[in-house]
Amino acid sequence: MKKFKTESQRVLDLMINSIYTHKEIFIRELLSNCSDAIDKLYYKSLTGGVSGLSRDDFAIEIAADKENRTLKISDNGIGMTAEELDNNLGVIARSGSLQFKNENEKNDDVNIIGQFGVGFYSAFMVAKKVEVLSKAYGSDEANLWVSNGSDGYEIKKAEKDGHGTEITLYLKDDTDEDYYGKFLDEYELKDLIRKYSDYIRYPIKMAVTKYEEKDGKEEEVKETAVINSMTPLWKKNKNEITKEEYDKFYKDMFYDGEAPLLTIHTSAEGAVEYKALLFIPAHPQYNYYSKGYEKGLRLYTNGVLITDMCKDLLPDYFSFVKGLVDSELTLNISRETIQHNRQLQKIEKSIEKKIKSELKNMLENDREKYLEFFKAFGLQLKYGIYENWGANKEMLQDLIIFRSVKEDKMVTLSEYVKNMAVDQKYIYYSTGSSVEAIKALPQVEKVVDAGYDVLCMTDNVDEFAVRFLGTYEEKEFRSVAGEDIGIKDEVEDTDENKAVTEFMKEALGDKVAKVKLSSILKNHPVCLTSEGELSIEMEKVLNSMPNVQGDNKIKATKVLEINVNHPVFETIKKYYAEDKEKLKTLSEVLYDQALLIEGVTLESPTKYAEQVCSLLK
Ligand code: ADP
């Protein structure tokens, strides 16, 4: 009995005691080894040295034996000599092993198994004993490697027809938590092969049950069938694939009943090489806008699935994209961890660019479809601008659209700027609960009357995103409810006017910072604007967050604007001269009214109602 090398023993212990939930990935690991072994022999045949081998001769076979609880996986690849069995299976993959071990000590979960694969030893997640019977190509001697994991392994001479390797797993006993018997079930095995190794380039054969009519009776027969499809859709030529094929592929792979809104089939060559098949769903997944949602793309290398959720391949703001990437990298643990991270980063950047250009193309050439897209995922793009202090605004600012008050449709920022009046300095926007509510706002009327367009911001995140944008094509964003909107608003500064506004400010106390007269308000007697960084809308959004309460409440610096052209202003002046107590009440009522127009709930609606009544007396 030989002992495993210390390093190997540690990884092995990890496998034997694995709490990893995706134990099924051992199938992927073993099939991928078979495929590699066949590759090695096949290349040898192509480069001379070996003759009389044809590609069609190669195959992988899986056989389950329920009675003995064994699973056999065999290939007719290059095989191993006794020395190779000793070297290859006694020592875990050489170069990356140390990193793997360290990584695991840090994480102390075995997530990395799913990420990068751990090869042959994963068999010990499901088997109590493993036998490897192998005959190297060109040798007439076969050998059997046997191990029950913990004690070590033995290698002895054996008999085998033909070259290649046959691995027998003696499955662990079933427990309350784990039902290992499922790996002997024909349907389960078929599913797993299709899930993880569908695109292995050699046939994976297995005996399957068929039903045949015989003398009027249905009879069960076993028949050997190829389980994997061998050619991945994404490796086919685009013009050989129909929309129906793409749609079916998407629906099957991502469990969506609906065809995707957009399919992107692309490949890159040069510094990074990959093929990708990406989809934008028609609607957000049920949990898309919640914490439970996981972003990521499936990652294949050489047709073998490495992980079905590689989150490093997608930025958060494109997290709605589904799909897969197939890259020729050997992403197994024998590569340096750092190296493939860098590779992945490059692929990610390239994919990100591609998604952006496809979206831009849709925006420019198929606006109707883009509107559908934006309805589903526009919010995500706007969050993308807001997140990371606006670091990604360059990437995203051309992809967002807002409803224009003047044009009554969705416009891009670039379209807004193109349509700006000659004397217009700013990009105007207004927040509000709906487009209708925004259109009715006195502040919006002011700006539209001056001949300028206003963008409607109805999502909570909008104004925050705009703050991070700051400018677009060097034009500054200005809220119509801001202090200085750059529109002439002159009111004669008489003593009487001054006295009236000062009195009203006094009456309102610290509810407002200022009361000012305005000549450009149209139909409404008053409106609220704000000074400084924080707008009234932001105050509303921030204060609605669960962790902002009581003394923590945030306050915008508010300004009450009074329309000097409205009959109410005459009443104000009259009360100032005749009944100051009444003006006090009127001031409070007008302030509350302005809040209501903004969609802010009043602290005391009862008090407001009583005050209105008292004024009517
Ligand atoms: P990796 O495949 O990442 O190198 P593994 O632990 O899966 O690591 O396998 C170790 C080595 O054992 C392989 O590199 C290969 O040389 C050898 N090996 C494993 N399975 C087979 C097989 N079916 N046929 C031939 N060689 C194999």
Side-chain angles (χ1 to χ4, degrees):
M1 179 77 58
K2 282 187 153 184
K3 291 255 171 266
F4 287 101
K5 295 265 155 46
T6 338
E7 250 181 28
S8 306
Q9 186 64 46
R10 300 216 30 199
V11 178
L12 202 55
D13 289 342
L14 249 169
M15 292 300 136
I16 295 168
N17 306 312
S18 175
I19 42 137
Y20 189 60
T21 40
H22 298 303
K23 294 194 163 87
E24 62 191 37
I25 58 112
F26 76 91
I27 295 246
R28 172 190 78 191
E29 298 297 316
L30 297 184
L31 288 176
S32 146
N33 279 348
C34 294
S35 167
D36 287 351
I38 297 177
D39 270 348
K40 281 178 198 162
L41 185 56
Y42 180 54
Y43 290 136
K44 217 171 172 175
S45 78
L46 291 179
T47 51
V50 176
S51 59
L53 283 176
S54 138
R55 201 177 193 293
D56 299 336
D57 299 333
F58 294 118
I60 299 167
E61 270 169 54
I62 295 193
D65 178 344
K66 281 192 176 155
E67 233 162 275
N68 296 309
R69 280 181 76 83
T70 60
L71 185 65
K72 261 194 188 93
I73 300 179
S74 40
D75 65 71
N76 52 4
I78 196 149
M80 285 175 274
T81 61
E83 201 187 344
E84 283 166 336
L85 279 170
D86 193 18
N87 282 338
N88 296 345
L89 305 183
V91 188
I92 183 134
R94 298 120 295 262
S95 56
S97 52
L98 213 74
Q99 249 127 346
F100 171 76
K101 209 180 64 186
N102 293 342
E103 197 104 349
N104 264 282
E105 268 160 6
K106 264 183 265 140
N107 295 338
D108 95 4
D109 72 53
V110 260
N111 243 337
I112 192 153
I113 299 174
Q115 290 268 313
F116 301 113
V118 286
F120 172 74
Y121 289 164
S122 63
F124 288 98
M125 288 199 288
V126 300
K128 50 185 175 187
K129 181 170 130 189
V130 178
E131 287 179 356
V132 182
L133 176 62
S134 197
K135 190 179 198 174
Y137 181 81
S139 156
D140 6 285
E141 187 194 281
N143 290 283
L144 182 69
W145 180 100
V146 188
S147 170
N148 62 4
S150 40
D151 296 338
Y153 59 92
E154 266 179 316
I155 299 171
K156 37 191 184 198
K157 293 232 161 0
E159 291 297 319
K160 183 182 184 313
D161 295 336
H163 53 89
T165 303
E166 178 183 295
I167 297 179
T168 308
L169 309 180
Y170 292 81
L171 295 185
K172 289 183 183 175
D173 300 329
D174 295 330
T175 65
D176 288 346
E177 289 90 47
D178 287 300
Y179 172 51
Y180 298 99
K182 72 177 174 195
F183 298 121
L184 299 170
D185 180 75
E186 177 185 325
Y187 298 96
E188 177 78 22
L189 283 170
K190 263 206 246 172
D191 271 358
L192 291 176
I193 294 166
R194 291 207 179 113
K195 178 171 177 192
Y196 289 110
S197 309
D198 195 34
Y199 306 118
I200 284 212
R201 289 159 307 203
Y202 305 102
I204 301 171
K205 296 178 179 169
M206 192 175 94
V208 295
T209 312
K210 284 257 164 76
Y211 295 92
E212 268 178 14
E213 281 263 320
K214 222 177 184 184
D215 308 330
K217 271 190 282 170
E218 264 227 324
E219 220 172 69
E220 220 184 87
V221 285
K222 291 280 182 192
E223 204 175 78
T224 303
V226 174
I227 311 298
N228 56 329
S229 66
M230 292 192 275
T231 317
L233 187 69
W234 61 90
K235 286 203 174 165
K236 288 188 186 162
N237 261 337
K238 268 198 222 181
N239 50 20
E240 285 169 18
I241 310 171
T242 62
K243 179 179 180 319
E244 283 66 37
E245 276 180 286
Y246 279 128
D247 288 355
K248 184 184 179 304
F249 181 86
Y250 165 78
K251 288 182 186 172
D252 288 349
M253 191 172 261
F254 299 104
Y255 307 106
D256 193 343
E258 215 177 333
L261 188 72
L262 184 73
T263 300
I264 307 171
H265 188 180
T266 182
S267 60
E269 263 152 49
V272 277
E273 287 193 21
Y274 68 85
K275 288 192 160 51
L277 187 48
L278 310 170
F279 303 94
I280 296 181
H283 292 109
Q285 195 175 310
Y286 72 96
N287 64 347
Y288 182 65
Y289 285 108
S290 80
K291 274 212 174 87
Y293 180 82
E294 273 184 75
K295 64 160 185 172
L297 297 177
R298 292 167 78 93
L299 178 65
Y300 291 82
T301 136
N302 301 311
V304 179
L305 179 64
I306 299 298
T307 168
D308 51 8
M309 265 299 166
C310 184
K311 58 179 178 7
D312 299 336
L313 286 171
L314 277 180
D316 282 344
Y317 45 86
F318 289 152
S319 60
F320 47 81
V321 175
K322 305 262 181 201
L324 59 91
V325 172
D326 192 346
S327 160
E328 298 288 307
L329 315 166
T330 5
L331 279 177
N332 63 27
I333 79 152
S334 57
R335 281 284 180 104
E336 312 244 325
T337 315
I338 184 87
Q339 189 185 343
H340 52 236
N341 278 350
R342 232 186 277 136
Q343 295 274 26
L344 284 184
Q345 270 172 18
K346 278 194 194 148
I347 298 179
E348 194 248 18
K349 282 285 161 254
S350 163
I351 282 178
E352 190 179 323
K353 261 204 219 132
K354 181 71 189 166
I355 297 171
K356 181 185 170 176
S357 79
E358 289 283 332
L359 285 174
K360 213 144 174 236
N361 184 32
M362 200 205 292
L363 176 69
E364 278 155 17
N365 301 313
D366 191 348
R367 187 57 67 95
E368 213 157 293
K369 198 166 171 183
Y370 195 82
L371 290 177
E372 242 179 275
F373 159 74
F374 202 79
K375 202 164 147 206
F377 300 111
L379 201 55
Q380 183 64 60
L381 299 186
K382 293 188 281 192
Y383 273 114
I385 291 176
Y386 163 64
E387 274 160 5
N388 298 322
W389 291 276
N392 302 306
K393 62 183 182 187
E394 294 296 326
M395 181 62 122
L396 299 171
Q397 60 186 2
D398 289 318
L399 295 177
I400 55 171
I401 48 179
F402 293 105
R403 192 159 202 95
S404 133
V405 169
K406 257 175 123 180
E407 304 203 16
D408 214 14
K409 62 174 191 194
M410 301 295 272
V411 297
T412 63
L413 293 176
S414 144
E415 285 160 355
Y416 180 96
V417 169
K418 260 192 214 104
N419 289 330
M420 275 169 67
V422 203
D423 62 338
Q424 185 178 348
K425 275 199 283 191
Y426 307 119
I427 300 173
Y428 294 105
Y429 69 89
S430 172
T431 54
S433 58
S434 69
V435 173
E436 292 318 308
I438 288 174
K439 282 185 181 166
L441 284 175
Q443 302 93 313
V444 172
E445 272 183 357
K446 279 203 286 205
V447 177
V448 172
D449 254 30
Y452 308 143
D453 196 4
V454 176
L455 296 174
C456 300
M457 312 230 154
T458 49
D459 286 319
N460 281 350
V461 68
D462 288 348
E463 194 171 25
F464 293 88
V466 159
R467 291 287 165 113
F468 279 112
L469 281 179
T471 59
Y472 181 81
E473 286 179 9
E474 291 165 20
K475 307 278 186 226
E476 209 180 300
F477 285 91
R478 283 278 161 105
S479 164
V480 297
E483 185 188 6
D484 174 18
I485 54 169
I487 297 173
K488 274 222 168 60
D489 185 4
E490 269 167 37
V491 178
E492 217 186 323
D493 202 13
T494 62
D495 285 349
E496 190 197 11
N497 283 349
K498 242 197 211 158
V500 167
T501 51
E502 267 165 28
F503 178 85
M504 289 179 79
K505 155 70 186 119
E506 197 77 4
L508 291 170
D510 60 7
K511 284 179 187 160
V512 295
K514 211 174 4 184
V515 174
K516 104 179 206 206
L517 302 180
S518 164
S519 64
I520 54 174
L521 277 170
K522 223 172 117 199
N523 296 320
H524 294 264
V526 287
C527 82
L528 274 178
T529 55
S530 63
E531 281 181 338
E533 280 297 292
L534 205 67
S535 71
I536 295 167
E537 182 63 22
M538 287 166 115
E539 171 189 293
K540 213 162 57 182
V541 173
L542 293 170
N543 286 342
S544 71
M545 291 177 179
N547 53 343
V548 183
Q549 262 155 17
D551 290 349
N552 276 333
K553 290 263 187 213
I554 285 148
K555 262 183 104 173
T557 317
K558 301 186 185 79
V559 176
L560 184 70
E561 291 192 20
I562 298 168
N563 182 354
V564 291
N565 302 316
H566 199 278
V568 164
F569 186 55
E570 296 310 312
T571 313
I572 290 174
K573 285 196 284 196
K574 191 170 146 236
Y575 285 175
Y576 181 75
E578 294 168 9
D579 189 346
K580 293 227 164 49
E581 207 39 45
K582 227 174 175 175
L583 179 55
K584 204 172 164 225
T585 311
L586 181 60
S587 303
E588 286 179 24
V589 164
L590 288 174
Y591 171 79
D592 280 354
Q593 260 186 19
L595 280 180
L596 286 172
I597 294 172
E598 287 295 319
V600 179
T601 39
L602 299 182
E603 255 167 58
S604 171
T606 335
K607 188 177 168 206
Y608 170 72
E610 279 167 9
Q611 285 180 321
V612 171
C613 282
S614 86
L615 288 174
L616 293 174
K617 268 191 254 166

